[in-house]
Amino acid sequence: MSKIVLITGATAGIGEATAKIFAKNNFNLILTGRRANKLSDLKNDITSEFPKVLIQTLQFDIRDKEATANAYNSLSEEWKNIDVLINNAGLAAGLDPIHTGSLEDWDQMIDTNVKGLLYITRLVTPGMTERRSGHIINVSSIAGKESYPNGSVYCGSKHAVSSITKAMRIDLAPFNVKVGAICPGMVETEFSLVRFKGDQGKADSVYQGVTPLYAEDIAETIYFMASRPAHVNIDDVLIMPTAQASSRDVVRNS
Ligand code: 8X3
């Protein structure tokens, strides 16, 4: 069997682009997400382009620890030999100051970005430590390095991802398991549409007058991280559009 990559949140954006680039490089794929129709469309899409690639799809909500465990446990022993885990599932919900933020938004972000990442990692890592091989790449954010106004909980969740990544690396290095993080700035995906709950005008204004990063830019970098020689681990990548110098400094064409 070719190498296996498990990508969470594979149905759109960075996850989908990452699935395609790993398929192009002959990995077999385990694609996870909440949306069954999107998972099956993506599987068909990749299969028609790369017929030799084997694909498993697992439909569950990563916030649900039982559903996550059941999905993982439904894999055959062969498919549980996961070489690369891309912890991509995550979102921003709302952009509000601390005194008016929504508790539901906060739960959703913390439960997905932090607890969901932990649930799937806890399931996949025992096999990696046993085999003394594996690679985990956590998709964090510039928000994991800088805090910005109205982003307290999203930034907090991504700071948690960055911090967990560092400690995971220490725990797993003795087992020859690589751990790294990629921290993108502004990437044009459905990220802002989700953050603004379907308000297309607000989402478009985030990218107005800027050439942002695209999902493929992040996917290529993730694949680069995953394809280094055995003795090389890329701990952390901060990747921004050329027009973005920090989370709050964006040069826009008027
Ligand atoms: C996405 C980047 O700046 O919107 O994580 O938080 S930002």
Side-chain angles (χ1 to χ4, degrees), residues 140-143 148 154 158 184-187 191 195 244 247:
S140 185
S141 167
I142 178 69
Y148 53 77
Y154 180 68
K158 290 300 188 177
M186 192 185 281
V187 187
F191 176 85
R195 167 172 263 175
Q244 185 177 17
S247 60

Side-chain angles (χ1 to χ4, degrees), residues 14 182-189 207 210-218 221 238-244:
I14 294 170
I182 181 161
C183 301
M186 192 185 281
V187 187
E188 188 169 14
T189 58
Y207 310 108
V210 179
T211 304
L213 296 169
Y214 298 106
E216 291 70 24
D217 298 315
I218 307 306
T221 309
L238 175 59
I239 175 168
M240 308 284 275
T242 305
Q244 185 177 17

Side-chain angles (χ1 to χ4, degrees), residues 171-223:
D171 291 346
L172 297 175
F175 297 94
N176 192 42
V177 174
K178 300 184 188 189
V179 181
I182 181 161
C183 301
M186 192 185 281
V187 187
E188 188 169 14
T189 58
E190 59 180 31
F191 176 85
S192 291
L193 200 59
V194 170
R195 167 172 263 175
F196 297 118
K197 300 166 186 168
D199 185 330
Q200 189 71 57
K202 275 192 184 172
D204 288 347
S205 70
V206 172
Y207 310 108
Q208 204 155 14
V210 179
T211 304
L213 296 169
Y214 298 106
E216 291 70 24
D217 298 315
I218 307 306
E220 279 180 7
T221 309
I222 290 173
Y223 186 73

